[in-house]
Amino acid sequence: MPDPFSLPGLASIESGLRALDLIGTVAFAMSGALLGVRKRFDLFGVLVLGCVTAVGGGAIRDTLTGNTPPLFLRDETYLWLAIAGSLTAFAFGTRLARFERAISLFDTLGLALFAATGALGATKLGLGPLGVTFAGALSGVGGGIIRDLLAHEVPEVLYRRDQLYATAAAAGAFAVYLLQNHLPQLGVQLSGAGVVILFRFVSRRGWMKLPVRRVPDGN
C-alpha cells in the first residue's frame, strides 16, 4: 500500500498545488516567528516557534496515524522553508508587521491546503468521518496550538469565535470525506480547501460565529 502522506502520494498534488503548500509552510513559520519577535524571544526561540507552527500539526498527524518518521523529516524542503521563514521574520519583524493581512491570506491558504491534504491522506488509511475530520483539522491547527502553548498564550483556536479557524479546517476535512468517492483526488482536495477558505471568509466578515455560554462569576 503506498504511503498516503509521502510526497508522491500527497493526494496527487500537481506542482502548482505543492508550491502553494510550501508557501503555506513559509506563512505558518512567519506567523509563529512573529509572535516570538513580539514577545522578545531570542533567535533560537523565534526559530522554535516558527518551525513548530509550520510543521507541528503534520508531525502530530503522522505520529497518530503511524506514518513515521513525519513528512518534514522525510522531505526536508518543508523544514528548510520553515527555518527560512522564521529567519525572515526575525530579521524583518518590524516591517513584516505591516503586511499581516498578506500573511493572514497565506496563512488561510496554508490552513486550507494542510487540512485538505491531511484529510485526504486519512481517507487512504481507511479512517471514518470523525477520524478524517480530526486528522485534517489537526494538520491545519496543531502547529498553532503548540506555538501558543510554548509562548504562554491561550491557543487562539479555543476562543476566537469571530474568526473560525479550527472549525473551518474541520469543515474542509469533513467535505473531503464526503466527496472522496465522487471526484478525482485533485478535485477533492481543491473542494476541501475551498470549504476552509469559505468558512474563513464568512467568519471574518462577521456572518458566522460560534455560540459562547456565559456563566455568572458569582460576584
Side-chain angles (χ1 to χ4, degrees):
M1 176 179 176
D3 179 0
F5 293 119
S6 65
L7 188 60
L10 272 178
S12 301
I13 311 174
E14 294 180 350
S15 59
L17 282 179
R18 182 170 187 267
L20 286 177
D21 198 31
L22 295 175
I23 290 173
T25 299
V26 175
F28 275 150
M30 291 171 66
S31 67
L34 281 174
L35 177 60
V37 171
R38 291 194 189 99
K39 286 187 166 283
R40 302 187 64 80
F41 286 10
D42 62 16
L43 175 59
F44 180 76
V46 170
L47 282 172
V48 169
L49 281 189
C51 289
V52 299
T53 305
V55 303
I60 296 173
R61 175 207 63 207
D62 289 345
T63 301
L64 288 176
T65 56
N67 194 60
T68 55
L71 174 62
F72 77 92
L73 294 178
R74 285 178 278 129
D75 180 9
E76 291 189 358
T77 302
Y78 290 90
L79 190 55
W80 281 112
L81 286 177
I83 293 172
S86 300
L87 290 174
T88 301
F90 183 83
F92 304 104
T94 303
R95 297 180 182 179
L96 286 174
R98 304 173 186 173
F99 301 98
E100 285 198 67
R101 292 187 64 181
I103 294 175
S104 177
L105 173 62
F106 285 123
D107 184 69
T108 295
L109 287 174
L111 175 71
L113 288 168
F114 289 175
T117 296
L120 195 51
T123 64
K124 292 178 178 295
L125 293 174
L127 300 185
L130 292 181
V132 170
T133 301
F134 182 77
L138 190 59
S139 296
V141 307
I145 293 176
I146 299 173
R147 172 203 65 201
D148 291 341
L149 292 176
L150 289 176
H152 296 286
E153 299 276 343
V154 177
E156 290 187 355
V157 298
L158 299 180
Y159 69 89
R160 297 195 66 175
R161 69 187 183 98
D162 58 333
Q163 293 187 25
L164 301 183
Y165 200 80
T167 305
F174 186 63
V176 167
Y177 177 81
L178 294 177
L179 296 173
Q180 61 178 310
N181 296 321
H182 303 285
L183 292 173
Q185 289 186 341
L186 182 59
V188 171
Q189 183 176 12
L190 287 174
S191 299
V195 169
V196 177
I197 294 171
L198 177 63
F199 268 65
R200 288 284 289 155
F201 175 78
V202 298
S203 67
R204 290 179 69 89
R205 290 277 183 170
W207 299 338
M208 182 185 298
K209 296 181 180 180
L210 292 178
V212 173
R213 175 69 68 183
R214 302 190 183 277
V215 179
D217 58 12
N219 297 327

